[in-house]
Amino acid sequence: MATNMIAKISVGIKRDNMPLLDLPFDDSQCNGSRTSSSTVQFEQPPLITTSNGTCSHDNGTHLRAKLRFFLMSPCWKWHLKRQCPWKAWFQFIKIIILTTQLILFGIERQSHVVFISESNITFHHLFIRGWSSADETLPYPRASGDFAVYTNQDFIDSINYAVHRFNNLTNISLGLFDYHEHATQKSYSSDSESRERYINLCLDRFKTCRIDPTSHTYILDSETENNCSTLNATNNFKIEEYLLNVHNETVNYCGLNSLTLEFAIHAIQLKNQKLFSLPDCYHFSVKITFDNNARTGKIRQHLNSQAQFRTCNRKLIHQYSDFTLTRRNLLIVLDCVVLLITIISFILCIRSLWFGHRLCREVCLYYSIERTSEKPLTWSELQIFYSYWYFLMIITDLMVIPGTIIKIGILFKVTDDYNAAGLLLGLSSLLSWIGILRYLSFFRKYNLLFVTISTSLPLILRFLLCALIIYCGYMFCGWIVLGPYHTKFRTISTTFETLFGLINGDDMYSTYANLETESIYIWVFSEIYLYSFICLFIYVVSSLVIALIIDGYDTVKRYYIDGFPKSRLQQFSEENAPQWSGLNNWQDLTTAIGARSVCFPCCSKTPQNLTDMITADAHLMQNVNTFS
């Protein structure tokens, strides 16, 4: 049986192309000499005499020593092998470069977003009749109601106003705007005397709609049609005459669902506040919508603009023009370096997971052959070979690569998808900084946070699942009952956000005060509903979550005093380890609880207790250079 097991386990090739069990061994250890130590006691691993008369360690001893080395932190591996933990330092360097790239991209993106946002505000002031700065407030809390028209004359005047203002855009605007022909996508030179300014007018309406409110009768064909036409903006334009002369119709408010005006504008952003940044050229698609779907006598009016990059016919004549182009090229070089480092990091993480997977297979094979009387290893016990930190770094790298490619496309003006690049790079930065916590987890004073979370998290998740069921009941109840009378419960998503804000004590008074109803039943229900929800989730649920965390913290504190429970694999790896008579056991040393530095080899001296421990572990010392 031993011969078959050796043949099976030895099929894996190490990084130095050396089979797992075909290891160098000093035959001098076959004699009876032993080095004595006053501080440690250990058992010499059993020896197997081969057919040629030589001695070698048995496979179980080697596998246990290899597992002990696998469980060590990078700090102790450096003390043991005197090999710089370059993979850890590589991750630190990667985070620094990623953060530098993110900061430079954030500065550039801020300039882009500010230009797009302020241009959109400018279009509101230029094309929306009656628009004022008071309408530019945040969505909540609203300082004013919806921007709308309520009379036929206001509706007609608002359309004519937008067309007239677009016709005089270059004369009245302070921005660097000009016209763009909507149909043929050809721009016109600013010195042209006769230019056509095209606007696309669309009417979305029912085919037939006639009503008689006096007798409560109506005739309705619910099939809708969307009629679009292109008009030329002039100062004499009137929407009534245009519809009557061109389409032989008038505005029918009964059938009208919405009316839209669409036109295109070219713009150039000159970044004079940034001496070394190239100007950007944009194509704005502006859309003004008059929404009459509710048919309440209130037609909402809103403007939306979408910006796209366009290639600029640039000519830089200032003295820093060469440096401006050089700056862009340097940013591209930085992005290429980020791509290279990220790909290397991805390969290293896959490589580490592969070595862990190989060791996992070797351990499982050993248990299936030599320890058949024991129950098989479970997945929770084997998870130690597949570190979730590696998966976190892999996900980070998979986000950095497409985000950097999009960023390079933005620098070349091929795309303007700042949102996608910002989302990918922002999430990758978050996960990268979280990944740093892995190295702090090797130390006792910092590891307390992670052990507490891992201990209490299963209980918290089960408890929150039960609380979520109650939360969903409150959410749907509040939406269906209070939604028509309260702006904060108008939709399911806003109801969810409102209730979550109440748990955190956010804006409670306005939630009580903004109920718009004269029904006493709705008011009484709202009071009972809000008071019961706040008492249940703030005073009960939140307190119980904190209690679960404190309970986990107390459990971890006892572990630090009495010792952490060891898994089956940890017990297996220490079966033939030297019996340490000091204050720390093998698990304490290999998890770097007593470490005095965070992997700074030049500043740290190998602790004496580790030296004594490793010196006593003869098999580990002999074969440490062959371990992964």
Side-chain angles (χ1 to χ4, degrees):
M1 180 181 295
T3 305
N4 295 334
M5 183 190 64
I6 294 174
K8 290 182 179 180
I9 299 183
S10 299
V11 296
I13 304 299
K14 299 295 294 176
R15 276 184 281 182
D16 52 359
N17 297 324
M18 184 176 294
L20 175 62
L21 295 179
D22 190 13
L23 298 172
F25 178 68
D26 188 1
D27 289 336
S28 62
Q29 293 206 18
C30 289
N31 56 33
S33 61
R34 298 285 188 272
T35 58
S36 61
S37 175
S38 59
T39 57
V40 294
Q41 297 177 354
F42 64 95
E43 293 182 357
Q44 183 70 11
L47 301 176
I48 297 177
T49 303
T50 60
S51 59
N52 59 3
T54 61
C55 296
S56 66
H57 288 281
D58 75 299
N59 47 2
T61 300
H62 175 74
L63 188 60
R64 280 186 282 269
K66 186 177 180 182
L67 186 57
R68 286 198 299 273
F69 181 82
F70 178 82
L71 297 175
M72 283 187 178
S73 70
C75 300
W76 294 118
K77 287 181 181 178
W78 179 85
H79 288 302
L80 184 62
K81 299 179 68 174
R82 288 300 171 181
Q83 177 182 346
C84 178
W86 62 273
K87 289 185 288 185
W89 285 108
F90 181 83
Q91 292 297 330
F92 289 137
I93 295 173
K94 185 188 82 169
I95 290 174
I96 293 174
I97 296 178
L98 286 178
T99 305
T100 303
Q101 178 202 41
L102 185 72
I103 292 174
L104 295 175
F105 175 73
I107 295 173
E108 189 70 21
R109 187 186 183 213
Q110 183 180 17
S111 173
H112 167 80
V113 172
V114 168
F115 178 77
I116 299 299
S117 176
E118 293 188 357
S119 296
N120 186 67
I121 294 175
T122 300
F123 295 149
H124 279 81
H125 283 275
L126 288 175
F127 305 120
I128 302 297
R129 180 172 173 266
W131 186 267
S132 67
S133 299
D135 299 305
E136 298 167 11
T137 57
L138 295 174
Y140 179 83
R142 296 184 62 91
S144 59
D146 296 326
F147 194 89
V149 293
Y150 298 89
T151 65
N152 175 69
Q153 190 60 45
D154 287 340
F155 177 72
I156 298 299
D157 291 343
S158 297
I159 298 175
N160 294 335
Y161 179 85
V163 174
H164 297 163
R165 299 281 283 189
F166 176 70
N167 181 60
N168 297 287
L169 175 65
T170 56
N171 298 326
I172 62 177
S173 174
L174 301 177
L176 304 179
F177 303 128
D178 207 339
Y179 301 102
H180 186 273
E181 201 270 328
H182 199 76
T184 63
Q185 299 293 307
K186 293 181 180 179
S187 59
Y188 295 87
S189 59
S190 59
D191 56 355
S192 176
E193 296 181 359
S194 59
R195 286 177 295 172
E196 295 179 326
R197 292 82 186 260
Y198 289 103
I199 297 179
N200 194 31
L201 172 66
C202 291
L203 290 170
D204 184 14
R205 58 192 177 185
F206 294 128
K207 282 189 174 182
T208 302
C209 182
R210 293 193 298 271
I211 62 172
D212 184 9
T214 57
S215 58
H216 292 166
T217 59
Y218 64 87
I219 301 175
L220 176 65
D221 183 355
S222 59
E223 183 180 355
T224 61
E225 58 181 3
N226 190 20
N227 294 332
C228 295
S229 58
T230 302
L231 59 92
N232 183 29
T234 62
N235 287 332
N236 299 323
F237 175 83
K238 293 183 179 180
I239 185 64
E240 312 100 304
E241 296 179 0
Y242 174 79
L243 293 176
L244 187 61
N245 297 333
V246 177
H247 299 280
N248 194 27
E249 61 179 334
T250 58
V251 177
N252 180 9
Y253 295 102
C254 173
L256 180 66
N257 295 320
S258 64
L259 183 147
T260 60
L261 299 173
E262 298 181 56
F263 48 86
I265 296 175
H266 274 178
I268 298 179
Q269 179 189 10
L270 298 180
K271 306 175 184 178
N272 59 332
Q273 74 277 14
K274 295 180 181 178
L275 190 59
F276 307 131
S277 296
L278 290 172
D280 291 328
C281 298
Y282 294 94
H283 173 91
F284 282 97
S285 297
V286 182
K287 182 178 182 180
I288 302 175
T289 303
F290 296 87
D291 185 5
N292 189 43
N293 282 285
R295 288 178 175 79
T296 59
K298 171 184 177 179
I299 299 180
R300 293 181 175 87
Q301 183 180 0
H302 55 87
L303 182 147
N304 182 45
S305 61
Q306 299 291 332
Q308 295 178 338
F309 267 141
R310 288 293 183 266
T311 303
C312 294
N313 298 318
R314 59 175 178 263
K315 182 179 180 182
L316 299 175
I317 60 176
H318 60 74
Q319 57 179 333
Y320 298 105
S321 58
D322 293 337
F323 187 82
T324 301
L325 297 176
T326 304
R327 175 187 177 275
R328 187 200 67 174
N329 296 335
L330 290 175
L331 291 176
I332 294 174
V333 170
L334 175 63
D335 293 334
C336 293
V337 172
V338 169
L339 282 177
L340 177 62
I341 291 177
T342 304
I343 293 173
I344 295 175
S345 173
F346 178 81
I347 295 174
L348 290 176
C349 292
I350 295 295
R351 173 176 171 271
S352 298
L353 287 175
W354 169 245
F355 286 133
H357 176 67
R358 284 177 53 187
L359 182 57
C360 177
R361 293 176 59 187
E362 293 169 7
V363 172
C364 291
L365 182 59
Y366 180 84
Y367 265 79
S368 64
I369 296 176
E370 289 293 324
R371 302 204 172 198
T372 56
S373 60
E374 299 183 18
K375 64 178 182 180
L377 294 170
T378 62
W379 168 245
S380 61
E381 293 173 325
L382 296 175
Q383 284 180 354
I384 191 174
F385 297 106
Y386 306 96
S387 174
Y388 60 88
W389 293 108
Y390 289 132
F391 289 103
L392 182 68
M393 287 186 281
I394 288 174
I395 295 174
T396 300
D397 296 335
L398 292 178
M399 289 183 177
V400 172
I401 292 174
T404 303
I405 293 175
I406 296 175
K407 183 177 179 296
I408 294 176
I410 292 174
L411 290 174
F412 279 110
K413 309 303 180 184
V414 176
T415 180
D416 60 345
D417 202 349
Y418 278 91
N419 291 331
L423 178 64
L424 292 171
L425 295 179
L427 286 176
S428 64
S429 176
L430 171 64
L431 298 180
S432 297
W433 282 96
I434 292 177
I436 296 180
L437 299 177
R438 172 179 181 247
Y439 302 99
L440 294 180
S441 65
F442 296 134
F443 303 93
R444 180 170 189 168
K445 292 182 180 180
Y446 303 100
N447 192 42
L448 184 61
L449 171 64
F450 308 101
V451 179
T452 302
I453 292 177
S454 61
T455 303
S456 57
L457 187 60
L459 290 175
I460 292 177
L461 291 179
R462 286 191 288 268
F463 177 77
L464 290 181
L465 178 61
C466 300
L468 180 62
I469 297 175
I470 304 176
Y471 188 92
C472 290
Y474 270 93
M475 179 184 66
F476 287 110
C477 177
W479 169 64
I480 196 66
V481 178
L482 302 180
Y485 310 105
H486 204 300
T487 56
K488 298 176 73 173
F489 293 86
R490 197 60 50 88
T491 63
I492 294 180
S493 61
T494 57
T495 303
F496 187 94
E497 295 161 358
T498 299
L499 295 180
F500 187 79
L502 287 176
I503 295 177
N504 295 277
D506 177 48
D507 210 10
M508 287 190 177
Y509 177 75
S510 65
T511 306
Y512 282 96
N514 289 345
L515 186 68
E516 300 175 355
T517 181
E518 296 181 357
S519 173
I520 187 64
Y521 306 107
I522 299 297
W523 181 84
V524 172
F525 170 82
S526 69
E527 295 294 306
I528 298 175
Y529 173 85
L530 293 175
Y531 278 116
S532 62
F533 177 84
I534 291 173
C535 292
L536 177 61
F537 278 86
I538 291 183
Y539 304 126
V540 178
V541 174
S542 299
S543 299
L544 286 176
V545 170
I546 296 174
L548 291 175
I549 297 175
I550 294 176
D551 182 68
Y553 177 75
D554 292 336
T555 302
V556 172
K557 285 176 62 178
R558 289 196 299 270
Y559 286 162
Y560 274 108
I561 297 174
D562 303 331
F564 283 84
K566 296 181 180 181
S567 64
R568 290 173 61 193
L569 288 176
Q570 288 174 330
Q571 295 174 4
F572 167 72
S573 68
E574 298 174 15
E575 285 180 0
N576 68 333
Q579 300 300 313
W580 179 243
S581 60
L583 296 177
N584 300 105
N585 58 22
W586 180 268
Q587 182 186 10
D588 293 333
L589 290 174
T590 54
T591 53
I593 289 179
R596 295 171 298 177
S597 64
V598 189
C599 293
F600 288 98
C602 62
C603 304
S604 180
K605 194 175 158 184
T606 303
Q608 184 62 39
N609 54 4
L610 178 66
T611 303
D612 296 338
M613 174 71 77
I614 298 302
T615 303
D617 196 343
H619 191 89
L620 182 62
M621 281 293 295
Q622 178 185 0
N623 301 304
V624 66
N625 291 325
T626 66
F627 292 157
S628 301

